[in-house]
Amino acid sequence: MSNNKVEVMGAVRAAADFARKNVRHTAGVLALVMVLNVAGDLGGRNVLLSIVVGVGTVLAGVMANAALLRLAFADEHPGDPDFRIGPQGFQWGRTEIRLLGAILLVALFFVLALLVLLLLAVVAAIATMALGHPNAPIPTPQTPLPPAGQLAISVLVTLFVLAGLWVAVRICVYPAATVAEKRVQVFSTWALTRGHFASIFAALVLVLAPAMILAVGIEACSAFPAVQGVLALVFAAVSAFVVGPMVTGLYAHLYRILRVAQVHQSAPSENSSALAGPWGSV
């Protein structure tokens, strides 16, 4: 593998090998993630239960990812207590807090972007209605949109989804960077993935393929509740014990090779500031 190229199948094989070697060390916390995912599906419309299970799922997911990423980068931090995992991956320390902070920063970014999208959608709706009916009364939420307004909003939503996907792939190695560097990293990883979007996206699709296929199967079996229930359990197990660890292993692998590539391509002074903080230099 070259220093400046991501080989899709090589990355997928590295992710699968990582999961095979490390799932047994984190089986406990991965089982908790699975149970909470199933509980979330069974929670139904109970709002309080859904909130409790949702928070628990996020925290368990952070623990699982932090434990796996500790194992991924333990060789770079020999003797460092921050890189020793707890029994079966159960622990909560500075690594988990940093990773949770990085996740919250990403969530905040996307929430702000969604608010901008909603504002633009409202402006587009009002503008198209005003242009189509200059003497019409002020529109209300119940006022039907003209075809031009519907088209404008559809275009905005499509652009938002595509832009969100692009940004998510470009910063996908932030969990690995946060754990490996022992400080919160988000957009400071932006430069690492420059020029590698297609390869990273293809590798992610292949790693996520088992979960996506099962999700399609669950939807297709909506008329057969018993079969759908079995597939939902299989989906939870595969997501927790196969896809989740493979995704984490993929991020760790990508971070390692892209970090090395950046070191080779950058002057020492430039590299020292490449991962300077959570937002970094875009």
Side-chain angles (χ1 to χ4, degrees):
M1 181 174 295
S2 65
N3 283 333
N4 58 2
K5 213 163 189 179
V6 173
E7 292 183 0
V8 175
M9 295 311 300
V12 173
R13 284 193 294 269
D17 188 56
F18 174 84
R20 179 180 58 81
K21 291 178 179 177
N22 294 296
V23 162
R24 65 180 182 272
H25 301 300
T26 56
V29 71
L30 294 176
L32 176 61
V33 171
M34 173 186 167
V35 169
L36 288 171
N37 282 329
V38 172
D41 291 336
L42 297 176
R45 298 182 179 180
N46 189 317
V47 177
L48 179 59
L49 178 60
S50 297
I51 293 174
V52 171
V53 172
V55 171
T57 301
V58 170
L59 297 180
V62 169
M63 272 198 296
N65 277 279
L68 288 166
L69 288 169
R70 279 188 174 95
L71 293 170
F73 295 102
D75 61 323
E76 297 182 0
H77 302 269
D80 190 334
D82 279 349
F83 286 82
R84 297 175 191 157
I85 69 167
Q88 290 294 294
F90 287 104
Q91 68 191 102
W92 192 270
R94 289 174 293 185
T95 300
E96 285 75 16
I97 293 172
R98 294 186 197 108
L99 190 53
L100 179 60
I103 292 170
L104 291 176
L105 278 175
V106 173
L108 175 62
F109 169 79
F110 280 102
V111 167
L112 292 175
L114 181 59
L115 290 176
V116 171
L117 172 67
L118 292 175
L119 178 61
L120 291 175
V122 170
V123 171
I126 294 175
T128 54
M129 293 184 72
L131 291 173
H133 304 281
N135 299 319
I138 297 175
T140 67
Q142 289 75 34
T143 305
L145 282 176
Q150 296 176 22
L151 176 62
I153 291 177
S154 296
V155 170
L156 282 173
V157 171
T158 300
L159 291 176
F160 176 81
V161 171
L162 292 176
L165 177 64
W166 181 63
V167 171
V169 171
R170 287 294 308 273
I171 64 171
C172 70
V173 298
Y174 79 87
T178 294
V179 173
E181 305 301 327
K182 299 179 65 172
R183 61 179 184 267
V184 174
Q185 305 288 327
V186 178
F187 283 97
S188 48
T189 63
W190 184 269
L192 295 178
T193 58
R194 183 179 295 119
H196 302 291
F197 173 86
S199 298
I200 295 174
F201 180 72
L204 273 171
V205 169
L206 290 175
V207 169
L208 292 170
M212 292 190 292
I213 292 170
L214 283 169
V216 171
I218 291 171
E219 289 299 319
C221 294
S222 57
F224 306 96
V227 176
Q228 194 175 42
V230 172
L231 286 178
L233 288 175
V234 174
F235 175 82
V238 169
S239 297
F241 288 98
V242 179
V243 175
M246 283 186 65
V247 170
T248 302
L250 177 64
Y251 292 163
H253 170 76
L254 291 172
Y255 181 64
R256 279 182 180 273
I257 63 172
L258 294 177
R259 179 181 55 182
V260 170
Q262 187 184 58
V263 169
H264 288 173
Q265 294 170 5
S266 305
S269 60
E270 294 172 344
N271 183 64
S272 63
S273 62
L275 296 174
W279 303 105
S281 57
V282 181

